[in-house]
Amino acid sequence: MSTSPDPSSDRLAALLRDKRVIVLCGAGGVGKTTTSAALALAAADRGRRVLVLTVDPARRLAEALGIPPHADAPTRVPEELLRKAGVRPGGALDAWMLDPRIVFENLVKKLAPPEKAKAILDTRLYRHLTELVAGMQEYTAAEALHTFAENQAYDLIVLDTPPSRNALDFLDAPGRLSRFLDEGIVQMFLPREGGGLLRRAGRLVSSVFVRMFGETFVQELQIFLGAFSGMFSAIRAHTEGVRALLGSDQAAFLLVSSPETAALHEAHFFRTQIEGRALPFKGFVLNRSHARAATLPHPSELTHDAEVSQASLDKLKPLADRERSQAIADAQVLDELRSRAGAHGLAVAAPHLGDAVEDLSGLHQLAQGLLPERPSV
Amino acid sequence: MSSLSTDMLGPRMQELLSARFVIVTGKGGTGKTTLAAALAQVAASLGKRVLLAEVGPEPEARSPLRAALGEEGQAGSIEPVPAGPNLWTVLLTPEAGHRAFLRDVLPLGFLADRAMKAEPLRRFLSAAPAFAELGILYRGLQLVRAEQKKHVPLYDLVVLDAPATGHALAFASLPQVLLRIIPGGPIGRAAREGIALLHDPKHTRAVVTTLPESLPVTEALELAKGLAQSNLTVHGVVANLVPHDPFTPAERSALSNWTRTLPMLGARTLQRLERARAALARLEAAVGSVLMVPERETRGRELVSAIAHDLAQAR
């Protein structure tokens, strides 16, 4: 590990120390979930009570953290596991793999009076709604964030986002789901005094709906939405509350990328999304790169024992040459990210720890590679 | 790539390319786009009319699919555009699907266009959960079923570069779930027709992409299982970016011992080769034969052509 100070590392450490929410965005396949867990672990190592919320996780990550993959609430990562991995006492780490079905059900139970909650949860529509919704993941994150930001059980929440481009849609007031439930649209479906379906909508739209969906479905939708009607302002308030928190100086957005062109394009796309919504973008984490390898010695410069044949060295040489030019190219990518991050932003390259981090020690190693040396206690 | 005849391909590739709809799916970063483009190119070289499709909410500044075909910086196109001999590309959007559905369902075409202009309907369609996905599926099936004249399809084959996995399983099971909620009317009918096409192995096949690494292999196996459970035929698994291993076992062992004691350039590649061997062995044990696409230095259209060549040679 380098002993010279790296402003980016220091800034990352400051975020872990000071912020209430850190959100990680980026393309699929770049290691967002692993990075989220590693940063959360590092914050716990520094004495904070941390919650990491993940979506689309590998079962292996749940195993590494020692938590069940399908819990209906956050689970505490066992102390013994933390100590064994080298994490200092004083902090705490909880993790929750978000399941849209459960988050939504918790929401319904929280906001609707019991009879209405039952009515909603009983509709055929509801039972299948969360299956239908590939896009539910995005909304789920917002709702979970709202719950925990409110209750002060955690000093820091680290939020992993789904790899889709819609990942930040939940931040649009009033938000994708709450737009669906928006009273304007819903009013079209609710029975009006004096009866009659779809009174408010124009003739054309109403005939389209009934023709598209059939009477049965529209009736089902009416029950569902009727029961839901009490929840709208609460849902909108939640979305707005989350938006306010994420736009404040208590939050930080980090972009995770790899050196691949496609991933970098996605990173810049997300950055536009983040800054377009006036959210606090703080910098980049570059994964899966060789950026830190540029200073390694070349095998031809080293002595070797007799076991290593010249033939094998000759085969190794081009591989080493290639690693060196990749390292140089990746270091350039890192430099470019640094300048794009701006004077107060950060860009760090994660140490390359094989294809995936297997366990808590691996996560801890990853975190140590991203951050400056811990001050000794 | 010059023209090919079908009998020059291996039997598995022949079988795959005789389908009408091939869905290339897998986690982000596993080379779906490149593989989809290469498959399309092989099929086009056989003389088939091929439509290569990607998915998005609306055209954006850069289409990854068109970039793979050498058209860097071009936006995706809502209507199919030519991309080479016998080859077209298209961007499937939810709005195009909703519009197509309404046109099919309403008695007069212009009513559909007027309906799509109605603000409440547009808000509902863009905001309601799952309607975006349904629009995309509908548009895809519309293009698969399009005819140039009676009983002659416009495209012999549609190859879909599917979005990253988070949603792939949801997409696959969508029509069935929809049918449970809306069993009647035109939506029910469309769902039933869609299901029939998606579940017919002669019509639709999925190819799962992965990398020769532990976690991607695990995820690919889970995805393949999930798709099969939704009754989507999984034709096979393709491992992309397979590194070339020049070492004999003895050489590997000696170098491994040496690099373990001393950090140096080349060590990481050795470790990567080792992990690749283990991951591919696990993959083959689970699914039988795996199509392996070697890692290459080239990029862009050259890369797609090189992979198309590999696919044509595959046995």
Side-chain angles (χ1 to χ4, degrees):
Chain A
M1 197 178 318
S2 156
T3 51
S4 58
D6 172 6
S8 279
S9 266
D10 290 335
R11 284 179 195 140
L12 185 59
L15 295 181
L16 291 182
R17 185 190 63 219
D18 300 333
K19 298 298 173 189
R20 280 216 71 209
V21 184
I22 297 177
V23 183
L24 281 88
C25 303
V30 297
K32 265 199 315 296
T33 305
T34 312
T35 307
S36 306
L39 290 179
L41 191 68
D45 185 38
R46 283 160 171 75
R48 300 193 89 192
R49 299 165 309 154
V50 190
L51 169 65
V52 60
L53 295 171
T54 66
V55 284
D56 199 31
R59 199 173 303 132
R60 185 178 293 184
L61 185 63
E63 284 167 9
L65 294 171
I67 64 169
H70 296 296
D72 56 8
T75 313
R76 173 68 38 107
V77 175
E79 282 253 6
E80 321 87 69
L81 282 188
L82 292 178
R83 296 305 146 256
K84 243 198 324 179
V87 176
R88 291 175 298 180
L93 178 60
D94 285 10
W96 193 20
M97 322 238 132
L98 293 174
D99 181 342
R101 245 172 299 236
I102 291 171
V103 171
F104 204 59
E105 197 170 304
N106 290 349
L107 173 65
V108 170
K109 287 182 180 152
K110 185 163 71 175
L111 292 184
E115 339 73 64
K116 280 200 171 177
K118 188 170 188 317
I120 292 168
L121 298 174
D122 277 351
T123 57
R124 197 168 40 166
L125 175 64
Y126 174 80
R127 273 185 278 117
H128 296 301
L129 183 69
T130 48
E131 280 182 62
L132 269 190
V133 188
M136 267 306 237
Q137 283 184 325
E138 292 91 17
Y139 178 75
T140 300
E143 187 46 45
L145 193 56
H146 175 267
T147 310
F148 296 111
E150 272 202 322
N151 75 13
Q152 306 288 335
Y154 301 104
D155 301 320
L156 168 65
I157 299 170
V158 178
L159 177 63
D160 174 29
T161 55
S164 78
R165 295 193 135 208
N166 296 330
L168 295 178
D169 281 5
F170 69 84
L171 294 173
D172 290 331
R176 194 174 182 222
L177 185 66
S178 57
R179 244 186 307 154
F180 171 57
L181 300 167
D182 184 279
E183 300 193 43
I185 296 177
V186 162
Q187 292 312 310
M188 287 199 301
F189 288 91
L190 292 180
R192 304 262 105 212
E193 297 76 46
L197 227 53
L198 304 175
R199 212 144 253 251
R200 282 258 191 97
R203 283 216 156 201
L204 177 62
V205 175
S206 51
S207 70
V208 165
F209 269 103
V210 173
R211 196 190 273 268
M212 277 171 75
F213 300 114
E215 289 266 354
T216 327
F217 175 75
V218 175
Q219 277 160 16
E220 177 103 333
L221 193 58
Q222 282 187 311
I223 297 169
F224 177 80
L225 293 173
F228 233 100
S229 62
M231 291 171 53
F232 297 138
S233 45
I235 289 178
R236 191 185 281 117
H238 284 195
T239 315
E240 284 167 1
V242 165
R243 203 190 188 308
L245 172 61
L246 292 177
S248 74
D249 62 6
Q250 295 187 69
F253 281 74
L254 291 173
L255 275 174
V256 185
S257 183
S258 74
E260 285 293 302
T261 313
L264 288 171
H265 269 277
E266 289 298 291
H268 297 309
F269 167 81
F270 278 114
R271 185 182 183 172
T272 321
Q273 294 267 303
I274 290 168
E275 295 191 324
R277 291 173 164 94
L279 297 168
F281 171 71
K282 294 300 181 190
F284 300 96
V285 176
L286 184 66
N287 273 343
R288 313 272 162 96
S289 85
H290 294 249
R292 298 155 67 111
T295 51
L296 285 176
H298 195 281
S300 55
E301 299 161 12
L302 300 168
T303 52
H304 60 89
D305 42 52
E307 217 201 357
V308 174
S309 67
Q310 188 57 44
S312 63
L313 269 182
D314 290 341
K315 291 180 190 175
L316 186 62
K317 185 182 177 304
L319 302 184
D321 290 342
R322 189 144 56 104
E323 272 188 34
R324 176 174 278 163
S325 40
Q326 263 180 309
I328 292 170
D330 289 353
Q332 278 169 352
V333 168
L334 183 62
D335 276 339
E336 219 221 289
L337 289 178
R338 274 201 182 122
S339 62
R340 283 197 189 230
H344 302 290
L346 66 92
V348 289
H352 202 295
L353 292 177
D355 57 12
V357 171
E358 305 275 304
D359 55 21
L360 270 188
S361 313
L363 283 176
H364 193 47
Q365 249 191 295
L366 177 57
Q368 285 179 306
L370 290 170
L371 294 159
E373 288 257 14
R374 299 176 301 192
S376 44
V377 189
Chain B
M1 196 174 184
S2 51
S3 64
L4 280 179
S5 60
T6 320
D7 52 11
M8 291 165 76
L9 301 179
R12 293 273 289 151
M13 189 58 54
Q14 285 185 40
E15 189 186 30
L16 177 64
L17 297 182
S18 67
R20 296 290 321 287
F21 190 22
V22 169
I23 302 173
V24 181
T25 183
K27 279 283 193 175
T30 56
K32 281 190 296 299
T33 304
T34 317
L35 182 68
L39 280 170
Q41 191 168 309
V42 177
S45 305
L46 292 173
K48 293 178 187 280
R49 295 170 58 93
V50 185
L51 178 63
L52 181 54
E54 60 185 340
V55 166
E58 61 202 5
E60 276 144 21
R62 176 186 182 266
S63 151
L65 197 60
R66 294 185 81 173
L69 292 173
E71 301 172 359
E72 188 61 64
Q74 286 277 41
S77 167
I78 295 188
E79 291 302 325
V81 289
N86 298 327
L87 184 62
W88 288 261
T89 58
V90 73
L91 172 71
L92 303 180
T93 62
E95 174 156 347
H98 298 148
R99 189 178 298 272
F101 179 78
L102 285 177
R103 292 189 129 243
D104 289 347
V105 152
L106 294 176
L108 293 169
F110 81 89
L111 285 181
D113 294 336
R114 264 226 275 147
M116 288 300 287
K117 289 196 170 77
E119 193 49 38
L121 180 61
R122 296 188 64 171
R123 273 171 35 189
F124 179 88
L125 290 175
S126 73
F131 278 91
E133 289 79 10
L134 290 174
I136 287 167
L137 259 181
Y138 196 85
R139 175 64 172 149
L141 289 172
Q142 180 197 39
L143 288 166
V144 170
R145 301 196 295 189
E147 294 182 337
Q148 39 177 318
K149 49 185 194 238
K150 205 140 176 65
H151 303 309
V152 179
L154 185 54
Y155 302 105
D156 298 304
L157 172 65
V158 175
V159 179
L160 174 64
D161 173 16
T165 322
H167 295 185
L169 286 178
F171 261 96
S173 62
L174 209 46
Q176 276 142 300
V177 175
L178 186 63
L179 207 52
R180 268 180 264 148
I181 301 183
I182 310 175
I187 292 193
R189 216 167 21 247
R192 257 182 287 272
E193 284 170 12
I195 290 171
L197 288 180
L198 290 175
H199 294 175
D200 176 1
K202 286 199 171 38
H203 188 278
T204 305
R205 290 186 167 237
V207 170
V208 178
T209 55
T210 187
L211 297 175
E213 293 185 15
S214 179
L215 185 58
V217 162
T218 303
E219 291 173 335
L221 291 174
E222 279 169 12
L223 176 58
K225 188 162 113 183
L227 291 172
Q229 278 167 355
S230 299
N231 286 316
L232 198 64
T233 308
V234 178
H235 180 81
V237 179
V238 174
N240 279 322
L241 297 171
V242 176
H244 170 61
D245 187 347
F247 301 106
T248 66
E251 289 171 342
R252 215 179 292 133
S253 157
L255 284 173
S256 203
N257 289 335
W258 182 41
T259 57
R260 226 194 309 271
T261 58
L262 225 49
M264 69 180 80
L265 291 169
R268 192 176 293 176
T269 307
L270 279 172
Q271 287 154 22
R272 191 178 157 230
L273 288 174
E274 169 120 14
R275 289 196 310 268
R277 287 167 59 79
L280 290 172
R282 186 158 66 96
L283 187 58
E284 280 184 313
V287 299
S289 77
V290 171
L291 183 58
M292 305 206 199
V293 177
E295 185 179 38
R296 282 193 164 74
E297 301 291 316
T298 51
R299 291 283 173 269
R301 190 102 201 214
E302 248 188 72
L303 177 61
V304 168
S305 295
I307 295 176
H309 192 74
D310 292 338
L311 296 175
Q313 304 280 343
R315 291 291 169 263

